[in-house]
């Protein structure tokens, strides 16, 4: 019996929800799982830069960028696995086959990359040796499978295992890489070797844990069924791949456009402002979404209107407390925060002015996790793909125009509108899918609107008082 079912039965008897302490611990662990990336960014990346030198560190930065890009472009496997394993009325065997089929589909894709990577490494005299190039493919493959396994554990609400593996994996991968660069050799081959080895180990630990969670079905794996499921997932994942590609493009190509049409010097404060302002999405809102996704998918897939409304209300409350309010605080004290962060850099005033425009829009974007999960629960992947592609094209074209006029402030406004439009459009779509979800989506939208108006109103009032 899942925690969600126990909680609902307890609530129906008029008792307080059980295991509330465990729920808080689970949420805290999801936030802790983000700490590994924060430690790497603040403490370990400067060591990589110091020991590898600017040229080799530039290659490391490219490897990290490709890593993030390819994890997003997983043919939608992590989204599909997360959705299917969270649905309560599917059998363990079906869930197991879905997870394994996703692994097979991804592994087949990376297997096709091995030969081109080897030939490219032999023919192109770049900073990476053929061996290091092959190891990069292994690294990307392992991290993509790790992300799918992570989605599986979160969907089954095994938050402790998922968070623990994630934080230790990130710290071990980068901490051991730093140790190897210092004690063995400050080379790219050494760096990639350690990264790939630890990533594969982390992936295997995650697979072992997934097998434990889905125990009782592993011995029932049927090869013809697995092949059929791989083909089904590949077809189902096509719109999600477009969704991921559009999202990756809109979040990365703005820097390329600014650098090409303006200058790298003008890019620097914009990059810093965007990095700071995306914190509500990447660090504050993401763990809340991971916590509520399986609960919301279960409620919607069971067509349980009461539980869906209750879960959506808690979801809105969670994002308000853990994302909107901290974002409002960042906006209110942005000058002091940015001054402390940049240690009195000459770009402080510029970064602050860009952040003033970006933060409200990105705060609304953090609420976009709610309609995203609602649409995912109904497998409305084609709308998500079409809407994401349309928004991406419009946003990047507008960014090009603004860059031609050398207006970074206009680009900040464009991206604030992009995040807001993404949330509002997806929420509207959720109200139109079917009567049950429509009513619940409408109710949650009204609660979210009240929360946004209250937080934004209080923030604006406090800013006038401080001013």
């Amino acid at each position: 019996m899942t925690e969600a079912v126990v909680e609902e039965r307890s609530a129906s008897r008029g008792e307080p929800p059980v295991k509330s302490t465990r729920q808080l611990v689970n949420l805290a662990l999801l936030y802790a799982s983000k700490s590994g990336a924060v430690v790497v960014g603040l403490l370990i990346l400067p060591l990589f830069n110091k020991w590898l030198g600017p040229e080799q560190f530039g290659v490391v930065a490219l490897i990290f960028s490709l890593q993030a890009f390819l994890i997003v472009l997983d043919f939608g496997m992590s989204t599909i696995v997360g959705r299917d394993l969270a649905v309560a009325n599917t059998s363990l065997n079906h869930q197991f086959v879905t997870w394994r089929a996703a692994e097979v589909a991804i592994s087949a894709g990376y297997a096709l990359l091995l030969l081109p990577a080897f030939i490219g490494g032999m023919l192109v005299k770049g900073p990476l040796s053929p061996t290091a190039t092959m190891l990069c493919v292994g690294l990307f493959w392992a991290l993509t499978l790790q992300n799918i396994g992570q989605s599986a554990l979160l969907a089954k609400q095994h938050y402790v295992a998922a968070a623990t593996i994630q934080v230790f994996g990130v710290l071990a991968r980068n901490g051991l890489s730093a140790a190897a660069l210092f004690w063995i050799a400050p080379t790219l081959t050494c760096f990639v070797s350690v990264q790939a080895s630890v990533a594969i180990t982390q992936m295997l630990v995650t697979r072992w844990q997934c097998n434990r969670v889905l125990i009782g079905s592993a011995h029932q794996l049927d090869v013809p069924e697995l092949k059929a499921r791989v083909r089904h997932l590949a077809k189902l994942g096509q719109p999600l791949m477009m969704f991921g590609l559009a999202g990756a493009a809109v979040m990365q190509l703005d820097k390329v456009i600014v650098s090409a049409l303006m200058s790298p010097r003008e890019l620097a404060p914009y990059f810093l402002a965007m990095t700071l302002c995306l914190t509500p999405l990447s660090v504050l809102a993401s763990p809340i979404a991971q916590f509520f996704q399986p609960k919301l998918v279960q409620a919607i897939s069971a067509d349980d209107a009461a539980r869906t409304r209750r879960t959506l209300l808690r979801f809105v409350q969670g994002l308000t407390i853990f994302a909107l309010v901290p974002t409002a605080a960042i906006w209110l004290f942005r000058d002091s925060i940015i001054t402390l962060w940049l240690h009195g850099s000459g770009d402080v005033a510029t970064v602050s002015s860009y952040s003033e425009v970006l933060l409200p829009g990105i705060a609304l974007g953090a609420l976009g996790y709610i309609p995203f999960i609602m649409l995912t629960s109904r497998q409305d992947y084609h709308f998500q793909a079409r809407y994401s592609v349309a928004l991406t094209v419009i946003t990047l074209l507008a960014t090009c125009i603004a860059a031609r006029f050398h207006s970074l402030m206009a680009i900040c406004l464009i991206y604030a509108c992009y995040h807001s439009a993404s949330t509002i459009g997806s929420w509207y779509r959720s109200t139109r899918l079917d009567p049950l979800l429509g009513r619940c989506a409408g109710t949650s939208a009204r609660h979210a609107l009240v929360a946004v108006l209250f937080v934004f109103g209080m923030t604006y009032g406090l800013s006038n008082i401080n001013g």
Side-chain angles (χ1 to χ4, degrees):
M1 185 181 298
T2 65
E3 290 181 12
V5 174
V6 173
E7 183 176 330
E8 292 300 324
R9 291 186 178 180
S10 177
S12 68
R13 294 193 300 266
E15 300 172 6
V18 298
K19 301 185 180 179
S20 58
T21 302
R22 179 180 296 179
Q23 299 279 24
L24 291 174
V25 170
N26 289 336
L27 184 57
L29 283 169
L30 289 174
Y31 272 102
S33 69
K34 298 291 181 181
S35 64
V38 174
V39 171
V40 170
L42 293 178
L43 301 179
I44 299 181
L45 282 184
L47 297 178
F48 291 163
N49 186 27
K50 176 182 178 181
W51 293 332
L52 287 170
E55 184 175 347
Q56 291 193 114
F57 182 73
V59 179
V60 168
L62 178 61
I63 290 172
F64 283 155
S65 298
L66 284 172
Q67 170 184 309
F69 186 74
L70 290 171
I71 288 175
V72 171
L73 291 181
D74 64 352
F75 300 103
M77 293 299 111
S78 59
T79 299
I80 295 171
V81 167
R83 187 263 174 197
D84 282 13
L85 269 66
V87 175
N89 59 359
T90 56
S91 66
L92 271 179
N93 189 65
H94 177 86
Q95 294 176 357
F96 179 80
V97 173
T98 296
W99 165 59
R100 289 297 300 273
E103 287 195 326
V104 171
I106 290 299
S107 298
Y110 275 98
L112 295 176
L113 290 177
L114 283 174
L115 184 58
F118 179 76
I119 294 174
M122 292 292 291
L123 297 179
V124 179
K125 300 301 179 184
L128 289 175
S129 66
T131 301
T133 303
M134 298 287 284
L135 285 171
C136 282
V137 175
L139 169 66
F140 301 150
W141 165 75
L143 289 175
T144 305
L145 289 193
Q146 156 65 25
N147 190 54
I148 292 172
Q150 181 86 352
S151 297
L153 292 177
L154 291 172
K156 301 301 291 182
Q157 301 186 48
H158 285 255
Y159 302 114
V160 175
T164 303
I165 294 171
Q166 180 68 10
V167 69
F168 279 101
V170 171
L171 292 177
R173 188 166 68 251
N174 292 284
L176 291 175
S177 295
L181 293 178
F182 182 79
W183 293 105
I184 300 175
T187 64
L188 288 172
T189 300
C190 180
F191 171 81
V192 176
S193 298
V194 177
Q195 287 273 315
S197 299
V198 180
I200 291 171
T201 302
Q202 182 185 2
M203 180 267 292
L204 292 174
V205 172
T206 302
R207 291 189 81 251
W208 172 78
Q209 182 63 29
C210 287
N211 273 306
R212 287 190 62 200
V213 169
L214 299 171
I215 194 167
S217 58
H219 65 280
Q220 301 174 28
L221 185 62
D222 182 75
V223 174
E225 181 187 2
L226 180 63
K227 290 180 179 179
R229 192 66 180 158
V230 169
R231 289 192 294 270
H232 175 71
L233 292 185
K235 182 178 180 180
L236 197 62
Q238 288 175 7
L240 286 173
M241 186 179 70
M242 292 302 300
F243 176 77
L245 181 60
V250 78
M251 296 308 296
Q252 300 299 329
L253 291 184
D254 57 327
K255 288 86 173 175
V256 177
I257 292 170
V258 171
S259 181
L261 298 182
M262 297 178 69
S263 72
R265 177 65 189 90
E266 290 176 288
L267 172 64
Y270 172 78
F271 175 80
L272 291 169
M274 187 64 79
T275 300
L276 173 67
C277 294
L278 284 174
T279 300
L281 278 174
S282 60
V283 177
L284 300 177
S286 177
I288 297 292
Q290 290 175 335
F291 181 79
F292 279 103
Q293 178 167 351
K295 304 175 188 300
L296 185 55
V297 170
Q298 284 181 0
I300 293 174
S301 63
D303 291 326
D304 188 333
R307 183 148 60 106
T308 299
R309 280 194 296 270
R310 210 158 32 240
T311 305
L312 282 170
L313 177 59
R314 292 169 184 168
F315 201 169
V316 170
Q317 292 170 341
L319 286 175
T320 300
I321 295 169
F322 292 99
L324 288 185
V325 172
T327 302
I330 294 172
W331 187 89
L332 197 59
F333 301 107
R334 60 189 178 278
D335 290 338
S336 300
I337 292 171
I338 293 169
T339 299
L340 182 63
W341 179 39
L342 299 181
H343 305 291
S345 166
D347 288 329
V348 167
T350 307
V351 172
S352 179
S353 64
Y354 294 161
S355 300
E356 182 179 6
V357 174
L358 284 167
L359 275 170
I362 292 178
L364 288 177
L367 291 172
Y369 281 112
I370 298 174
F372 170 77
I373 295 173
M374 286 192 283
L375 295 176
T376 298
S377 69
R378 289 300 197 214
Q379 297 182 296
D380 194 23
Y381 303 137
H382 285 90
F383 167 81
Q384 291 174 296
R386 290 194 298 267
Y387 189 55
S388 182
V389 169
L391 278 182
T392 295
V393 171
I394 293 170
T395 301
L396 292 180
L397 284 176
T399 300
C400 288
I401 295 170
R404 291 293 296 177
F405 284 94
H406 287 260
S407 178
L408 273 169
M409 188 60 74
I411 295 176
C412 292
L413 181 60
I414 289 165
Y415 269 82
C417 291
Y418 162 77
H419 287 286
S420 301
S422 177
T423 296
I424 293 169
S426 297
W427 222 316
Y428 176 75
R429 171 67 174 182
S430 299
T431 66
R432 312 300 296 178
L433 274 181
D434 57 68
L436 183 146
L437 186 60
R439 290 192 298 271
C440 295
T443 302
S444 64
R446 289 190 290 273
H447 284 293
L449 179 61
V450 170
V452 167
L453 291 176
F454 176 76
V455 173
F456 282 17
M458 287 290 294
T459 305
Y460 182 73
L462 289 172
S463 70
N464 286 336
I465 293 173
N466 291 337

